[in-house]
Amino acid sequence: MQHETPRICDYEGSDYRTRFWEGQGRSYEDRVERAVLQRLLPASGQRLLEIGAGFGRLTPEYHAYQQVVLLDYSFSQLQYARQQYGDKGFLYVAANAYQLPFMPGVFDGATMIRVIHHFENVPGVLQQIRRVMQPQGRFILEFANKRNMKALLRHAMGRQNWNPNDLDPVEFVELNFNFHPAYIQKELTTAGFMTQERIPVSFFRLGILKRTVPASLLAGLDKVMQRTGWLVAPGIFTLNTAQNSTPNNIGLIGDALFACPQTGALLRRDGDTLVNPDGLRWQIRDGIYDFKAPIH
Ligand SMILES: C[S@@+](CC[C@H](N)C(=O)[O-])C[C@H]1O[C@@H](n2cnc3c(N)ncnc32)[C@H](O)[C@@H]1O
């Protein structure tokens, strides 16, 4: 069921970094994702938007861009990222991806990795991303594949109450969705993206394999499997370019980059706040642009 105002999976104050990544036996997945990103990213770029950047796990991969804007709904995740990377070449933005606080056409790159599975309104978020990208901008999207091998087998054995072949997203835990590749494909096209490449990843996401085979070897084998293009892996990376015409505003610098998330109007800097023409103000605190709620 889709709610009128889409729900948000809130990571504020979450221990995601230590609970899910550090020392949690996922170096194989981490390696694979970094390697695929390196393959899909350009040799150089101007401004990249990392949507759902979290604590900045993948941020170092974006070094080819002159500026990286880390956007996340969680202020605390961004605080950690800022401690790691500082301000040179980086901007930190706490905001809801359903209401991106940017002028149109200001990014030539965008990534969204391990994030879209938290979105119940996929068309809504993809339209926002398309709006802020310049024509031909490169958007790398990773999504969780409902048509993965394990789900297909469980379904064939009658051990699963949902069908991996159905096009609709499946919400297996509250605000955690898996998607059919054809569904994502359709929504990307509708939002105005053309998909250049789809890469299935993490074929060997099995506890026993990860415990017994070195991550580097598994990642190497995964690379071989990726070349088959067989879309039955648990994750799929897609490389997309923005189509149709939007203004190319990539040259907008500094605070001119920002638009009011409620009205879309250009924001003006006033001390430690950004103000819209109606006087609505957004705060910059701890070096983070905070668009979660206006201040009064
Ligand atoms: C599973 S984490 C992935 C973080 C990072 N991309 C990575 O791969 O390590 C998902 C992130 O999406 C963010 N997120 C979820 N819903 C969001 C929304 N509506 N707007 C912005 N960020 C959101 C969460 O705060 C969280 O940091």
Side-chain angles (χ1 to χ4, degrees):
M1 181 181 133
Q2 200 160 292
H3 300 246
E4 244 176 48
T5 306
R7 293 167 295 162
I8 299 173
C9 190
D10 196 347
Y11 278 59
E12 196 57 65
S14 147
D15 58 357
Y16 172 65
R17 176 176 58 87
T18 49
R19 182 179 38 80
F20 197 82
W21 288 107
E22 289 178 7
Q24 300 302 322
R26 290 195 172 86
S27 48
Y28 154 63
E29 287 92 335
D30 186 59
R31 272 171 187 264
V32 164
E33 288 168 21
R34 289 177 194 277
V36 173
L37 275 177
Q38 285 314 317
R39 217 176 107 196
L40 298 180
L41 285 163
S44 68
Q46 294 181 64
R47 186 188 286 132
L48 176 116
L49 175 63
E50 184 180 11
I51 303 149
F55 63 90
R57 176 178 67 99
L58 296 169
T59 305
E61 305 307 321
Y62 306 133
H63 53 80
Y65 283 85
Q66 286 168 33
Q67 186 180 49
V68 177
V69 178
L70 290 85
L71 180 134
D72 204 278
Y73 192 69
S74 163
F75 200 86
S76 56
Q77 298 287 311
L78 291 173
Q79 277 176 315
Y80 182 88
R82 184 165 179 253
Q83 278 165 20
Q84 305 307 303
Y85 306 119
D87 291 326
K88 196 163 178 283
F90 298 101
L91 282 182
Y92 302 87
V93 177
N96 183 356
Y98 286 119
Q99 292 177 297
L100 290 176
F102 304 110
M103 296 299 287
V106 290
F107 294 98
D108 57 340
T111 63
M112 196 175 187
I113 317 295
R114 288 184 179 260
V115 176
I116 203 165
H117 65 281
H118 290 319
F119 284 75
E120 62 181 351
N121 183 352
V122 167
V125 70
L126 291 181
Q127 275 163 26
Q128 281 287 308
I129 298 167
R130 173 67 194 87
R131 180 182 66 78
V132 301
M133 295 200 69
Q134 72 165 61
Q136 298 310 312
R138 189 182 294 223
F139 172 41
I140 300 173
L141 170 71
E142 183 272 350
F143 65 92
N145 177 20
K146 82 184 274 197
R147 228 180 149 272
N148 64 67
M149 210 139 28
K150 187 171 157 203
L152 288 166
L153 279 175
R154 284 173 61 88
H155 175 64
M157 293 188 299
R159 286 166 132 204
Q160 191 170 262
N161 60 8
W162 52 270
N163 184 346
N165 297 307
D166 282 346
L167 282 190
D168 289 341
V170 57
E171 187 174 16
F172 58 97
V173 169
E174 192 184 5
L175 280 178
N176 280 263
F177 298 87
N178 279 356
F179 302 102
H180 195 294
Y183 169 85
I184 293 289
Q185 195 57 57
K186 177 170 83 60
E187 295 304 340
L188 280 165
T189 307
T190 306
F193 289 103
M194 186 194 277
T195 301
Q196 248 88 43
E197 219 178 318
R198 291 193 291 181
I199 305 179
V201 299
S202 292
F203 281 88
F204 305 109
R205 200 181 284 174
L206 266 183
I208 179 141
L209 281 178
K210 292 200 294 174
R211 280 191 298 276
T212 52
V213 183
S216 55
L217 178 55
L218 273 190
L221 292 171
D222 205 80
K223 202 170 169 189
V224 176
M225 288 304 290
Q226 288 165 20
R227 293 210 188 97
T228 66
W230 199 23
L231 298 179
V232 294
I236 296 180
F237 273 73
T238 64
L239 172 63
N240 311 280
T241 47
Q243 303 296 297
N244 311 325
S245 53
T246 42
N248 179 354
N249 282 332
I250 191 84
L252 287 183
I253 50 162
D255 299 324
L257 176 67
F258 292 108
C260 175
Q262 295 184 4
T263 66
L266 183 66
L267 295 175
R268 173 177 59 82
R269 178 87 179 236
D270 181 14
D272 274 350
T273 62
L274 293 175
V275 196
N276 88 357
D278 304 324
L280 204 60
R281 281 176 193 274
W282 310 90
Q283 204 176 9
I284 306 160
R285 56 183 179 107
D286 288 355
I288 298 172
Y289 291 84
D290 186 358
F291 288 99
K292 289 178 75 169
I295 54 167
H296 299 285

